[in-house]
Amino acid sequence: MGSRLEPIQPTDDSIHRAALALKAGELVVLPTETVYGLAADASQAQAVQAIYSLKGRPAGHPLIVHVANTGLAQRWSVFDDRAHALADAFWPGPLTLILPRQPDAPAWACGGQSSIGLRCPSHPVAQAVLQAFARIDALGGVAAPSANRFGRVSPTRAQHVIDDLGEQTPLLLDGGPCEVGVESTIVDLTGTQARLLRPGRIRREAIEAVLGEPLGGQDADAPRASGTLASHYCPVTPVRVVDEDRLDAALVELAEANGVSGVSALGRSGREGGNSGVYSRQRPMNPDVLWLAAPSDADGWEQALYDAMRHLDRQGLARIVIAAPREGPQWDAVMDRVSRAAVRGQ
Ligand code: TXA
Ligand code: MG
């Protein structure tokens, strides 16, 4: 298979080709509303294995199976009333449900576990490919983790995928910048209490309102989720997370801590700061930092965050400083992703 370093525009023809490629056991990169996904037919062991090899993802980290509708999801998993209520409320959309696997459904995607993650994405290109695939495949399930190398920031643009996978990029459908920009909310429905495994655009409150009861959090015997590993969403450059209202003070402290690190640490005015990138809503006082303006609201932060991290990561900086707002539960997904990105940097 030759390299394809150009994304392909979605047309009836290219969508049909993507469905045929999946059926043939090949990998395809699909745009979804959350992030780009590295997709394979979930019922073919070798195709699923190819995802793990290309990503460099450790074996045993289960993948989410994507389907075009709730009917197909039930070929893979057992729905209870809670699952029906959440699927009715939020599908198609950025919500993944962890459910008991149908005993006779293929288990490659979920690492042989008795539970399986299902998601019905709303992106029109993902939907079109899933529907075309379901017309030629009885189960219509497509396993798709984010289309990045393991441990790196998820791709929210076609170019990010090419930046990560290079010559190994499979057929890549260009769906433009992802609207949501962070991975789906994951709710585990395998126990008596529903639990939130990963915060995302579908907020905890909205899920609790549909379920009519509070969501539990993660606990020690939660199923393995690579999104829950400490340092999962990491740029190469160390990341620091600081309180928004302490940004300038934190930059001074960082300068003092690193001020003797030589000429390369000096900015244009000769002061420390020229090797720091800052992502914040407010312009920092230090004129020497490389400042990237962040959006004002939580949805905007989510949409722009990974692109901003990738952009700052390319600048050869000593550190990236992120001033994350903590203004209530709608910021949970942002706080979750920036604190994971910072694990190596703190
Ligand atoms: O938004 C998304 O969910 C994106 C797009 C491509 O749809 N996909 C995505 O996949 O984020 P991935 O593989 O990067 O994250 C899937 C998460 C992992 O943390 C995985 O371990 C968890 O879902 N997961 C999948 N099946 C599970 C299961 N049976 N039990 C517990 N966690 C599971
Ligand atoms: Mg991922």
Side-chain angles (χ1 to χ4, degrees), residues 68-88:
N69 55 55
T70 306
L72 289 171
Q74 290 175 88
R75 297 188 192 168
W76 293 84
S77 62
V78 182
F79 270 51
D80 60 10
D81 290 347
R82 301 173 301 178
H84 278 294
L86 290 177
D88 285 350

Side-chain angles (χ1 to χ4, degrees), residues 221-247:
D221 41 67
R224 297 185 61 180
S226 64
T228 63
L229 290 180
S231 66
H232 189 53
Y233 305 94
C234 248
V236 172
T237 315
V239 173
R240 286 279 188 157
V241 183
V242 303
D243 278 344
E244 202 172 33
D245 53 5
R246 286 205 70 252
L247 173 61

Side-chain angles (χ1 to χ4, degrees), residues 33-95:
E33 69 278 21
T34 57
V35 300
Y36 278 73
L38 181 61
D41 179 352
S43 60
Q44 295 187 49
Q46 283 186 340
V48 172
Q49 186 51 48
I51 294 178
Y52 284 86
S53 318
L54 183 51
K55 272 192 72 107
R57 183 174 177 131
H61 285 186
L63 306 174
I64 295 170
V65 175
H66 297 65
V67 289
N69 55 55
T70 306
L72 289 171
Q74 290 175 88
R75 297 188 192 168
W76 293 84
S77 62
V78 182
F79 270 51
D80 60 10
D81 290 347
R82 301 173 301 178
H84 278 294
L86 290 177
D88 285 350
F90 301 116
W91 279 3
L95 176 70

Side-chain angles (χ1 to χ4, degrees), residues 59-228:
H61 285 186
L63 306 174
I64 295 170
V65 175
H66 297 65
V67 289
N69 55 55
T70 306
L72 289 171
Q74 290 175 88
R75 297 188 192 168
W76 293 84
S77 62
V78 182
F79 270 51
D80 60 10
D81 290 347
R82 301 173 301 178
H84 278 294
L86 290 177
D88 285 350
F90 301 116
W91 279 3
L95 176 70
T96 295
L97 300 176
I98 309 295
L99 294 166
R101 180 168 57 86
Q102 284 288 1
D104 58 346
W108 318 119
C110 60
Q113 300 189 62
S114 59
S115 65
I116 189 163
L118 270 307
R119 171 158 125 74
C120 174
S122 62
H123 193 293
V125 176
Q127 265 293 325
V129 172
L130 289 169
Q131 286 171 22
F133 181 63
R135 285 194 287 274
I136 55 174
D137 186 87
L139 290 172
V142 168
S146 50
N148 52 288
R149 302 267 185 213
F150 180 71
R152 302 298 312 282
V153 176
S154 295
T156 57
R157 296 171 181 268
Q159 185 60 47
H160 296 165
V161 178
I162 294 171
D163 292 345
D164 257 33
L165 301 183
E167 296 283 324
Q168 293 179 297
T169 305
L171 190 152
L172 160 60
L173 290 173
D174 191 346
C178 299
E179 237 178 87
V180 173
V182 293
E183 302 81 354
S184 59
T185 307
I186 304 183
V187 175
D188 179 6
L189 293 177
T190 59
T192 45
Q193 187 187 22
R195 291 179 309 139
L196 183 65
L197 297 189
R198 180 170 74 183
R201 178 64 59 86
I202 308 289
R203 310 290 183 217
R204 169 188 284 273
E205 292 69 26
I207 295 164
E208 290 175 340
V210 170
L211 292 178
E213 59 185 25
L215 282 170
Q218 286 176 245
D219 62 36
D221 41 67
R224 297 185 61 180
S226 64
T228 63

